[in-house]
């Protein structure tokens, strides 16, 4: 439900400000139901196809940030002004245990992997890659907006992208950023939806063969 609400608020904030949030949420739920009904194989093909486009888009945004002289790493100072203690208190145990829902998703999807030998190395590599990317984007937002503005922004990355203006050609890139966020939220919501459907199929007598899930 959290992802559905986030999707509705993001769409109203960026594109469809006059559309009722309930209509947006209902639409995305229908899309999720349709995608889940097609089965696990079709679901995994969707991010496989979209991943290169998303990766290229983020790389383009990072290049635009560097060309427009928006990044000032001096805004990150002072680093660890009060020592490592506040960082550790913020990280343990809240942040460490925060993404437990995603862990359950991986545990349910791992059984569909055919090559079990590379499962551990691929999972560790994926976790490290995503963690590094999130840390880099957080640092980039702080270097662009500064700690004060980044701390009060609803979507800091969207705020940063709105500042891009290069040669009066590359402007209004926030629409592209919104589309990237739409893709990520939709796939995440579909993943939770599919795991919930598969879990209910395991726990109840309801058939789980809809859409070729097995």
């Amino acid at each position: 439900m959290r992802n559905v609400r986030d999707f509705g608020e993001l769409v109203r904030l960026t594109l469809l400000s006059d559309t009722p949030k309930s209509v947006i949420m209902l639409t995305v739920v229908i899309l999720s139901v349709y995608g889940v009904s097609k089965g696990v194989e079709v679901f995994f093909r969707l991010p496989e196809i979209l991943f290169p486009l998303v990766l290229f888009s983020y790389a383009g945004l990072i290049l635009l940030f560097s060309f427009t002289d928006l990044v000032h790493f001096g805004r990150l100072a002072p680093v660890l002004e009060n020592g490592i203690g506040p960082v550790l208190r913020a990280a343990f145990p809240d942040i460490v245990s925060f993404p437990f829902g995603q862990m359950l998703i991986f545990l349910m999807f791992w059984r569909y992997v055919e090559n079990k030998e590379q499962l551990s190395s691929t999972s560790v590599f994926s976790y490290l890659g995503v963690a590094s990317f999130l840390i880099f984007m957080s640092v980039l937002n702080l270097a662009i907006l500064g700690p004060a503005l980044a701390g009060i922004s609803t979507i800091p990355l969207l705020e940063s992208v709105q500042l891009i203006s290069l040669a009066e050609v590359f402007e209004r890139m926030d629409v592209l950023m919104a589309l990237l966020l739409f893709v990520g939220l939709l796939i995440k919501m579909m993943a939770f939806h599919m795991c919930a459907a598969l879990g209910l199929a395991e726990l109840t007598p309801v058939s789980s063969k809809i859409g070729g899930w097995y």
Side-chain angles (χ1 to χ4, degrees):
M1 187 62 188
R2 167 68 185 275
N3 292 317
V4 178
R5 188 192 67 192
D6 289 345
F7 195 98
E9 292 178 351
L10 179 63
V11 171
R12 289 201 65 188
L13 181 66
T14 57
L15 293 178
L16 306 175
S17 57
D18 295 330
T19 303
K21 186 165 61 176
S22 58
V23 175
I24 300 172
M25 294 170 64
L26 178 61
T27 302
V28 74
V29 167
I30 293 174
L31 288 175
S32 178
V33 170
Y34 176 77
V36 170
S37 68
K38 295 301 179 180
V40 172
E41 184 177 357
V42 174
F43 167 71
F44 280 116
R45 285 176 180 172
L46 178 61
E48 186 178 5
I49 294 173
L50 294 177
F51 179 73
L53 298 176
V54 172
L55 190 63
F56 177 79
S57 299
Y58 274 109
L61 289 176
I62 293 172
L63 287 176
L64 289 176
F65 281 138
S66 61
F67 291 152
T68 51
D69 195 29
L70 291 172
V71 181
H72 300 281
F73 288 103
R75 295 186 176 128
L76 299 176
V79 178
L80 298 178
E81 180 182 12
N82 299 315
I84 195 66
V87 177
L88 295 177
R89 286 193 294 271
F92 298 97
D94 295 337
I95 295 180
V96 174
S97 61
F98 173 71
F100 64 93
Q102 286 85 332
M103 289 296 298
L104 293 178
I105 288 179
F106 279 109
L107 290 174
M108 294 193 68
F109 284 153
W110 275 339
R111 62 176 176 171
Y112 295 105
V113 178
E114 295 181 356
N115 189 355
K116 304 292 185 181
E117 297 179 356
Q118 298 182 359
L119 181 59
S120 298
S121 59
T122 303
S123 300
V124 171
F125 177 78
S126 300
Y127 273 118
L128 293 177
V130 172
S132 301
F133 174 76
L134 293 177
I135 292 173
F136 173 77
M137 296 307 295
S138 297
V139 170
L140 192 63
N141 284 325
L142 289 172
I144 295 173
L145 300 177
L149 184 55
I152 63 175
S153 297
T154 305
I155 309 175
L157 185 56
L158 188 61
E159 297 280 350
S160 300
V161 171
Q162 288 176 340
L163 298 176
I164 294 177
S165 178
L166 181 62
E168 298 184 355
V169 176
F170 295 99
E171 296 180 341
R172 297 293 301 170
M173 303 301 294
D174 51 318
V175 176
L176 173 61
M177 188 66 245
L179 292 176
L180 293 176
L181 294 175
F182 294 160
V183 171
L185 284 173
L186 179 61
I187 292 177
K188 182 180 178 182
M189 184 180 63
M190 289 176 61
F192 276 109
H193 190 173
M194 177 162 288
C195 285
L198 293 174
L200 287 175
E202 291 285 346
L203 298 174
T204 63
V206 178
S207 174
S208 59
K209 296 182 180 180
I210 302 175
W213 287 350
Y214 291 100

